[in-house]
Amino acid sequence: MRSSCVLLTALVALAAYYIYIPLPEAMGDPWKLMLLDATFRGAQQVSNLIHYLGLSHHLLALNFIIISFGKKSAWSSAQVKVTDTEFDGVEVRVFEGSSKPNEPLKRSIVYLHGGGWALASPKISYYDELCTAMAEELNAVVVSIEYRLVPKVYFPEQIHDVARATKHFLQPEVLQKYSVDPDRIGISGDSAGGNLAAALGQQNWNTPILPRHVMVKYWVDYFKGNYNFVQAMIVNNHTSLDVEGAVALRARLNWTFLLPPSITKNYKPVVHTAGNAKIVQELPQLLDARSAPLIADQEALQHLPKTYILTCEYDVLRDDGIMYAKRLENAGVQVTLDHFEDGFHGCMIFTRWPTNFSVGIRTRNSYIKWLDDNL
């Protein structure tokens, strides 16, 4: 009996050690967030073991775990009709909200889920419930695109899938079928779905859910690259002064100008004089504005429509979002930057028990309100 108690105590201590990560005081529900982060880390480690044993690619294994625990059928309610179909060969899940009495034509949002271009689906409960809420509260048609994922396809095939499905939806006869107003259509997404640039910030190296090294690995996977580049990319050796392709872009990404003092604080620019030019030579997609809109030239940005950007303080992509908003503002685009001081990466989809977070509910409500006011 005594040995059993000792063993149980040791197991509890090991579990607590694995789960615990230091979190800033501003973050709400800390133990719930630690459990969520530990669950993700555990799933990643299991998938890495499966990859090591040669049983499957680690991303296929990880996505299988995610979808197995969260897949949801296309279930309709009295308020929202949900159907699975295809737009020009691309799978989509369509959420049709009810029409307003005085508006026969509905607003519409094309939604792109997150997941590092390799994970998740419109058919998992988190995104199904988000899109259902959008369709119901906005009386809108939401088209959630099931773009193909790494490692089955790589950049730029995800972009092609999204473009193909969106173009199909925008055909007059298709808009008429779904009773959509062609002048009130928006496109939106989170994380990889938002297609923001890779992490370049100074802070938030080891944030919950998406640490910096994991984000860099997703970029390498997206470009079908070599994991040997990961450590060099983490310290920005692909943007050093001797990398010719990056020099022309550096002036566009002066973070001392694009980020507010509340974030730059007392940090000083660190630019490596010598790095690894081979990274950009083998992964030219890193400097392709289609993969990183943050590096697009000013003329391209000027043509963008009214934009909403939601950023979270504890997110490896925080600085990218804030800099992108500033670049859009400088280009004359009407942009709303909605920053949450207690937010973490992907929090907007965590709104139901047991992974319901106060900041998740607040970010989702703020996002839907902006759509309601502006679409």
Side-chain angles (χ1 to χ4, degrees):
M1 181 67 180
R2 183 178 179 183
S3 60
S4 298
C5 290
V6 171
L7 178 60
L8 180 61
T9 302
L11 290 173
V12 170
L14 284 172
Y17 177 78
Y18 183 80
I19 293 170
Y20 179 79
I21 55 173
L23 294 174
E25 291 183 4
M27 300 187 78
D29 306 306
W31 280 102
K32 190 184 293 185
L33 181 55
M34 289 181 208
L35 284 168
L36 181 63
D37 179 71
T39 301
F40 278 128
R41 282 187 282 118
Q44 288 172 338
Q45 288 161 358
V46 169
S47 63
N48 288 338
L49 176 61
I50 291 172
H51 188 110
Y52 176 77
L53 295 174
L55 301 177
S56 178
H57 191 284
H58 68 100
L59 291 174
L60 291 176
L62 182 56
N63 205 31
F64 176 81
I65 294 171
I66 291 171
I67 292 177
S68 295
F69 283 94
K71 189 172 183 179
K72 188 174 180 180
S73 300
W75 183 81
S76 300
S77 67
Q79 294 75 32
V80 180
K81 179 183 177 182
V82 183
T83 54
D84 290 332
T85 186
E86 289 188 1
F87 285 175
D88 195 13
V90 180
E91 293 183 29
V92 297
R93 176 164 286 188
V94 182
F95 304 79
E96 299 176 66
S98 303
S99 298
K100 291 183 178 180
N102 58 339
E103 293 183 6
L105 295 181
K106 306 171 190 174
R107 297 175 284 189
S108 184
I109 302 100
V110 175
Y111 194 84
L112 314 176
H113 69 82
W117 307 280
L119 307 172
S121 162
K123 299 174 184 177
I124 64 171
S125 58
Y126 292 115
Y127 286 112
D128 181 274
E129 291 170 10
L130 171 63
C131 292
T132 297
M134 291 163 61
E136 181 175 352
E137 295 180 33
L138 297 170
N139 302 99
V141 174
V142 180
V143 177
S144 189
I145 299 178
E146 183 85 272
Y147 56 86
R148 291 171 296 167
L149 303 172
V150 175
K152 293 184 178 179
V153 298
Y154 299 90
F155 172 87
E157 291 306 313
Q158 288 83 351
I159 298 171
H160 294 164
D161 284 356
V162 169
R164 198 160 68 246
T166 303
K167 286 179 181 178
H168 177 89
F169 178 61
L170 293 178
Q171 295 178 100
E173 61 271 22
V174 179
L175 295 179
Q176 184 179 17
K177 174 184 175 181
Y178 290 102
S179 301
V180 169
D181 185 339
D183 294 323
R184 302 180 74 189
I185 301 172
I187 185 165
S188 184
D190 67 294
S191 190
N195 198 28
L196 298 177
L200 300 174
Q202 320 84 38
Q203 305 166 51
N204 292 339
W205 280 60
N206 293 303
T207 51
I209 311 301
L210 187 66
R212 189 172 186 176
H213 73 279
V214 175
M215 184 68 247
V216 172
K217 284 184 177 180
Y218 281 136
W219 278 97
V220 172
D221 283 323
Y222 187 37
F223 300 144
K224 200 177 181 180
N226 190 328
Y227 275 178
N228 292 335
F229 293 149
V230 169
Q231 290 304 316
M233 290 173 65
I234 286 175
V235 296
N236 291 327
N237 275 349
H238 58 299
T239 61
S240 56
L241 292 176
D242 61 341
V243 178
E244 184 178 352
V247 172
L249 302 175
R250 188 168 290 109
R252 301 177 189 171
L253 302 179
N254 183 349
W255 60 264
T256 60
F257 170 71
L258 294 173
L259 293 174
S262 60
I263 288 178
T264 57
K265 298 179 181 177
N266 59 345
Y267 289 92
K268 303 296 181 184
V270 177
V271 180
H272 300 287
T273 55
N276 188 346
K278 188 178 179 182
I279 298 174
V280 172
Q281 291 170 3
E282 294 196 16
L283 297 177
Q285 306 97 316
L286 283 167
L287 305 183
D288 189 322
R290 292 176 302 169
S291 71
L294 179 60
I295 64 175
D297 61 45
Q298 191 85 341
E299 184 179 354
L301 295 179
Q302 289 172 352
H303 299 291
L304 292 177
K306 185 186 297 185
T307 303
Y308 172 86
I309 297 175
L310 189 156
T311 57
C312 294
E313 181 67 16
Y314 305 106
D315 184 354
V316 70
L317 297 178
R318 177 200 63 186
D319 293 0
D320 300 77
I322 295 173
M323 288 193 292
Y324 189 57
K326 187 64 176 178
R327 289 210 64 210
L328 290 178
E329 180 184 295
N330 293 340
V333 176
Q334 188 176 341
V335 58
T336 298
L337 176 62
D338 204 1
H339 185 70
F340 285 79
E341 293 290 342
D342 57 342
F344 58 90
H345 185 84
C347 61
M348 187 174 72
I349 67 172
F350 297 114
T351 58
R352 67 178 181 90
W353 191 90
T355 55
N356 56 316
F357 291 83
S358 169
V359 68
I361 295 170
R362 283 184 282 114
T363 51
R364 189 189 76 172
N365 290 345
S366 185
Y367 163 65
I368 292 177
K369 184 180 185 304
W370 186 91
L371 288 172
D372 193 27
D373 293 340
N374 292 275
L375 189 60

